[in-house]
Amino acid sequence: MSYRPICDIWLLARGAGSSGKPAYYGAYPSGFLRRAKDLLLSNQNDILVHLCSGTVVDPQGITIDINPEVNPDIIADATKTPFHNNQFNAVLIDPPYTEQDAEKYGEDLPSTTDLLKEALRIVKPGGKVGLLHFIVPRIPKGYEKRYITLIGVITGGAQRIRVFTVLKKENV
């Protein structure tokens, strides 16, 4: 076997606002975005597309969310973006994980499979897609891709463990 996925565990602090409480329900754990970008971007000048972006602020990225109240760069359903095929080097997806999570945002729960299909459509061959979720996704059929890494993301006791899955879209 010539390839073996890298597996790791990141123990990160919960994301916090100035009051010390989570700044936004579902916010990334502290330090997650920097680490994710290190894995997803080959060049630090590359654009990272954030699907289901919530309140992410990334001056080098493009944020997409269906909720205009979180001030995304583009207000759109993350399963149907306005981008061309094979346009970006990397995509990061952080959707609501459950119906209850989606209710907190006042939105419907998006299909993880549909989000992955859209990310794989807009990422260039050789590009990477990262998904933060509590499941390891089933990769949609019809895409040449491979797992690059699976990383457990923990923010402390009595918290759900999440998995950061990184896929690479193969040259097709």
Side-chain angles (χ1 to χ4, degrees):
M1 180 178 197
S2 64
Y3 176 76
R4 182 174 173 199
I6 299 168
C7 298
D8 199 355
I9 295 178
W10 294 344
L11 176 57
L12 303 171
R14 291 159 85 188
S18 58
S19 66
K21 295 181 180 178
Y24 179 74
Y25 180 82
Y28 287 137
S30 293
F32 172 80
L33 184 55
R34 177 184 49 78
R35 290 173 183 226
K37 288 172 97 171
D38 285 346
L39 289 173
L40 293 172
L41 301 175
S42 301
N43 178 331
Q44 292 305 316
N45 294 323
D46 287 346
I47 294 171
L48 177 61
V49 176
H50 299 268
L51 298 183
C52 304
S53 64
T55 60
V56 169
V57 176
D58 182 358
Q60 288 180 252
I62 298 172
T63 57
I64 300 169
D65 203 289
I66 200 166
N67 183 354
E69 293 176 16
V70 297
N71 298 314
D73 296 319
I74 297 172
I75 300 167
D77 179 337
T79 65
K80 300 172 188 146
T81 68
F83 302 120
H84 299 290
N85 294 350
N86 306 316
Q87 190 171 347
F88 299 100
N89 292 313
V91 177
L92 179 56
I93 311 166
D94 183 23
Y97 308 137
T98 65
E99 290 285 347
Q100 294 80 13
D101 290 336
E103 285 175 15
K104 289 186 188 246
Y105 302 114
E107 306 297 336
D108 293 328
L109 182 67
S111 160
T112 304
T113 300
D114 290 346
L115 290 167
L116 281 171
K117 284 180 181 177
E118 183 64 5
L120 289 165
R121 181 186 73 77
I122 66 173
V123 75
K124 295 176 184 177
K128 295 176 186 168
V129 172
L131 171 71
L132 184 62
H133 208 296
F134 69 81
I135 61 168
V136 174
R138 179 174 297 131
I139 303 173
K141 292 181 181 178
Y143 290 91
E144 291 297 321
K145 68 285 167 189
R146 66 176 178 166
Y147 288 106
I148 296 294
T149 190
L150 303 169
I151 299 170
V153 179
I154 304 166
T155 58
Q159 301 295 315
R160 291 185 285 199
I161 186 170
R162 290 175 270 182
V163 178
F164 182 46
T165 303
V166 179
L167 308 170
K168 181 177 181 184
K169 181 175 177 180
E170 297 294 335
N171 296 323
V172 289

